[in-house]
Amino acid sequence: MSIKKPNEHPVIYLSKQDQERLIAAYADYARPIALTLCFQGLRSGEAVRLDWRYVDLERRSLFIHRSKTGRQRSVPLHPRVYKALSELWERRGRPSSGIVFLNYFGKPYVDRSEGAGGGNALLRPHNVACKKAGITGFTPHGWRHHWASWMVMSGADLFTLMRLGGWSSLSMVQRYAAVSAEHMQDAISRLS
């Protein structure tokens, strides 16, 4: 029996160049979910459970009806996610219900976030994309950390981050408060 060692230095966030290279490396069927993870901060389980009933393209928002914390939340759609979901909705014949993201076989991903077996349903398409893009140490859950880190670096306050990401407390998001030396230098330089 072998014991899998945890990644000692997981990648918390990607550069914008690596982000774009990785998104482009995803297969066409998986790119919409990658964009959603990148720009909405959803947990993988929230993304694979997303139903068209909870996508409001008119109001440009998503409703997360079932989350890890048990708290429901609405989040505004990022423009790139809005575009990807609008195109997907049109291609699928404008459904009013049904799972949004489908795997290579056109079936819903198996939600492994709860119950026995565990694992991440998006691991295979994610790993293929990472290999193609030449990115190592970045997991599907890494998209959530990437989103949170870039939200902070873009000026979002921690309370907003907590609400959008569905964390239950501010202490859960404090790790994103100072994510890069460049971000800290920019913050200090704003003082006059």
Side-chain angles (χ1 to χ4, degrees), residues 30-106:
R31 194 168 300 117
I33 199 167
L35 284 164
T36 302
L37 294 173
C38 178
F39 292 105
Q40 297 298 150
L42 302 185
R43 294 173 180 92
S44 296
E46 294 169 344
V48 299
R49 287 189 298 268
L50 187 62
D51 191 290
W52 286 112
R53 292 177 292 167
Y54 304 117
V55 177
D56 189 335
L57 293 172
E58 187 176 318
R59 290 191 176 107
R60 296 180 180 230
S61 68
L62 295 177
F63 179 68
I64 308 305
H65 74 289
R66 202 170 107 218
S67 71
K68 178 181 174 180
T69 63
R71 290 190 171 106
Q72 298 177 335
R73 69 188 189 279
S74 287
V75 293
L77 281 172
H78 183 277
R80 287 180 70 181
V81 177
Y82 171 78
K83 182 178 186 299
L85 293 182
S86 295
E87 291 171 357
L88 191 58
W89 183 68
E90 289 289 340
R91 278 197 311 270
R92 297 254 182 87
R94 299 178 170 206
S96 58
S97 66
I99 296 298
V100 172
F101 302 113
L102 304 177
N103 65 21
Y104 176 79
F105 301 103

Side-chain angles (χ1 to χ4, degrees), residues 153-167:
M153 289 189 285
S154 299
D157 63 88
L158 296 183
F159 184 73
T160 300
L161 183 64
M162 182 185 85
R163 297 283 308 270
L164 289 173
W167 281 281

Side-chain angles (χ1 to χ4, degrees), residues 108-157:
Y109 288 93
V110 176
D111 181 8
R112 299 178 183 157
S113 62
E114 299 172 350
N120 192 305
L122 307 174
L123 194 58
R124 182 168 300 200
H126 176 80
N127 285 347
V128 169
C130 282
K131 185 174 183 178
K132 186 176 174 183
I135 293 173
T136 59
F138 190 70
T139 66
H141 187 69
W143 280 123
R144 184 162 163 82
H145 296 288
H146 171 82
W147 169 80
S149 298
W150 277 105
M151 285 289 290
V152 170
M153 289 189 285
S154 299
D157 63 88

